[in-house]
Amino acid sequence: MELVLKGFGEVVKTVTFRVRRYDPEKKEMPKYMEYKVPVQRGMTVLDGVLYIKEHLDPSLAARYSCRMGICGSCAMIINGKERLACQTQILELNKDLIKVDPLGNYDTVKDLVPDLNKLFKNHESVKPYIVREEAEPYGEYIQLPEEREKYALFTECIMCGACLSACPTMATDDLYLGPQALAQAYRYIADSRDAGFNERLNLLDSKHGVWRCHFAGACSEVCPKGVDPALAIQLLRGVLSKNVFIKYKQNPAKLGPERASIKEVL
Amino acid sequence: MRESKIMLLQYLTGLFILVLGTFHMLLLSVLAPTSNKVLYQYASTNHTLIGGTLYYSTVTAIYHTLLWGSIFELLLTFLVFHIFNGFRIILSEQFPGAKAEKVITYSMLILGLVIFIWGSRTIVLMLLQGGI
Ligand code: SF4
Ligand code: FES
């Protein structure tokens, strides 16, 4: 008998979930497995995945936390496009087959759980915080609303990692900083309180930084928060072009994807 | 050189190639040195080629002028930079890493120089009316 979950509407139809299964600890190739999920009104893809986990196959691994599009943990590729599983209504997809893959351009921890280390390391490397010249803050740093507007859009990032998964440069260049880190670098550079431009320059202006974006725009297309990293990258190009005659020593980038070496480079 | 400078040069050379390349192409039509602007002109009695924009001596005559010689030399310079820097970018995306970066950069530099010298030799020889 079909299980009906509490808190959702009536069962509308049964949908097949085709889920990519892969466990790097087992020496097996990735494979797709199919599960029949009764879809009730209001169910998201994450609910579908959890239904499978609870009632059909407890070995399926997925990552989630807030279930309301805030934490960014549940990003996955759903029917070929990066989306937050908790924000994707199954019925809105209007398909009888739902293909679920983990985010691309990352290693896989297990099944639908990508290893987001690359995302976090790249993010960390661009110094995602306000850099000041004085050692101790001296009080309140005033900022006008117009000054905040310059970077407000880019503060929306929830670090879901979807943009890196969609980015074609990321697929070929292991050392590329990626749309998320570049957008965050711009967010701080554009902040009137920040004085860290020179400290970030070496990394941004490296052979695997700002200039490697081919402006495919896939990052902006998939970003669930409308951050528009592609725009941030073009704005960064403008900033770098205006400062093209600043002299500094540029070290070659180290082989990635681990960016622990970035500290040395900076 | 800083990546920003290289990339700005990449964009600028792209733009110049578009402008100079247009002139290069216009040489076949509106700027053609021949009176009737046809590519090939044949004798009225038989099929002997006697003139036209692509006639060997018409082409070499263009190279004999300093203005066109300089335009071609500039076009060559921009093309060599744009093409080999483009290759450098593509290859360093495919093979990231400090060592690979060096190998790629120097190989492209050497290849670019060889092509540039070879192309310049052709242009200079033509300009000096010696032909190739
Ligand atoms: S920029 Fe958008 S897609 Fe990229 S990590 Fe942030 S929220 Fe996710
Ligand atoms: S579970 Fe937090 S964004 Fe989906």
Side-chain angles (χ1 to χ4, degrees):
Chain A
M1 201 195 78
E2 218 164 51
L3 273 155
V4 178
L5 303 178
K6 278 189 193 155
F8 294 104
E10 76 278 20
V11 175
V12 180
K13 61 176 178 179
T14 300
V15 159
T16 306
F17 271 61
R18 184 177 290 163
V19 184
R20 187 181 189 267
R21 305 295 311 269
Y22 176 55
D23 183 354
E25 282 177 11
K26 292 186 191 151
K27 304 260 173 291
E28 280 172 18
M29 294 295 281
K31 57 176 186 272
Y32 284 98
M33 283 178 74
E34 293 196 353
Y35 305 94
K36 297 261 181 248
V37 177
V39 178
Q40 292 169 244
R41 222 169 267 291
M43 265 176 83
T44 64
V45 172
L46 181 63
D47 294 321
V49 168
L50 293 179
Y51 178 93
I52 298 169
K53 193 170 170 56
E54 280 166 24
H55 304 291
L56 306 175
D57 186 349
S59 70
L60 176 67
R63 189 194 278 139
Y64 70 100
S65 180
C66 69
R67 290 179 161 206
M68 51 167 71
I70 289 174
C71 70
S73 316
C74 67
M76 44 189 88
I77 303 181
I78 299 164
N79 281 356
K81 190 182 172 191
E82 285 76 1
R83 310 170 207 246
L84 293 179
C86 71
Q87 295 298 291
T88 309
Q89 287 286 325
I90 299 175
L91 293 178
E92 276 178 16
L93 289 172
N94 204 14
K95 290 269 177 327
D96 292 330
L97 178 75
I98 295 179
K99 196 164 162 265
V100 192
D101 288 88
L103 290 182
N105 297 336
Y106 298 99
D107 290 337
T108 303
V109 177
K110 194 179 174 233
D111 301 333
L112 298 176
V113 184
D115 177 358
L116 296 182
N117 243 321
K118 193 194 303 191
L119 172 81
F120 298 137
K121 288 260 178 345
N122 288 0
H123 182 225
E124 200 187 333
S125 72
V126 297
K127 305 200 171 192
Y129 41 82
I130 304 255
V131 176
R132 299 287 305 179
E133 269 142 20
E134 63 275 8
E136 290 293 324
Y138 55 73
E140 203 178 344
Y141 298 110
I142 305 291
Q143 187 169 62
L144 299 170
E146 310 84 79
E147 287 173 327
R148 191 182 178 279
E149 269 312 300
K150 288 192 181 140
Y151 65 83
L153 176 69
F154 310 112
T155 60
E156 303 290 329
C157 176
I158 53 171
M159 297 191 67
C160 65
C163 49
L164 265 70
S165 169
C167 170
T169 308
M170 215 63 222
T172 54
D173 186 350
D174 240 1
L175 283 177
Y176 181 48
L177 271 174
Q180 192 275 342
L182 289 171
Q184 290 316 299
Y186 182 76
R187 178 254 172 271
Y188 287 97
I189 286 172
D191 192 316
S192 57
R193 299 161 296 180
D194 182 82
F197 176 62
N198 282 356
E199 291 179 33
R200 298 186 187 100
L201 192 58
N202 198 0
L203 200 55
L204 299 179
D205 204 9
S206 76
K207 294 192 166 43
H208 305 276
V210 172
W211 301 103
R212 286 300 83 82
C213 164
H214 297 289
F215 207 7
C219 51
S220 302
E221 181 79 25
V222 301
C223 177
K225 290 288 165 183
V227 169
D228 204 349
L231 170 67
I233 298 172
Q234 309 322 308
L235 292 170
L236 265 181
R237 285 182 170 171
V239 177
L240 289 187
S241 304
K242 278 189 206 136
N243 293 283
V244 76
F245 293 113
I246 293 180
K247 280 211 171 70
Y248 73 100
K249 186 176 173 319
Q250 186 166 21
N251 301 318
K254 303 271 162 58
L255 192 60
E258 284 291 313
R259 281 201 173 259
S261 56
I262 291 305
K263 287 211 176 64
E264 286 167 46
V265 178
L266 285 172
Chain B
M1 206 197 286
R2 266 179 62 179
E3 197 65 13
S4 305
K5 280 188 195 157
I6 300 174
M7 288 311 290
L8 288 181
L9 282 175
Q10 180 79 355
Y11 297 148
L12 281 177
T13 49
L15 207 67
F16 290 144
I17 289 167
L18 204 69
V19 175
L20 295 181
T22 308
F23 274 117
H24 188 46
M25 292 302 163
L26 287 181
L27 262 181
L28 297 176
S29 51
V30 282
L31 294 179
T34 49
S35 53
N36 50 7
K37 320 267 188 229
V38 290
L39 297 184
Y40 298 106
Q41 191 184 351
Y42 296 96
S44 53
T45 47
N46 54 28
H47 286 296
T48 323
L49 193 60
I50 54 162
T53 311
L54 289 181
Y55 192 53
Y56 184 73
S57 56
T58 320
V59 174
T60 49
I62 296 168
Y63 277 86
H64 294 166
T65 60
L66 187 63
L67 176 72
W68 278 112
S70 322
I71 288 181
F72 290 142
E73 185 63 29
L74 272 180
L75 184 57
L76 173 73
T77 313
F78 296 150
L79 274 173
V80 167
F81 181 88
H82 197 82
I83 291 170
F84 287 96
N85 187 43
F87 279 144
R88 178 191 68 88
I89 294 166
I90 296 167
L91 289 171
S92 54
E93 269 176 33
Q94 300 299 322
F95 308 102
K99 200 173 162 211
E101 242 168 51
K102 250 194 194 143
V103 174
I104 292 165
T105 306
Y106 284 110
S107 329
M108 291 305 110
L109 202 69
I110 292 166
L111 259 174
L113 269 176
V114 169
I115 302 285
F116 177 73
I117 292 168
W118 187 257
S120 300
R121 173 191 162 275
T122 310
I123 293 169
V124 170
L125 281 181
M126 294 289 261
L127 194 61
L128 298 178
Q129 315 209 353
I132 40 170

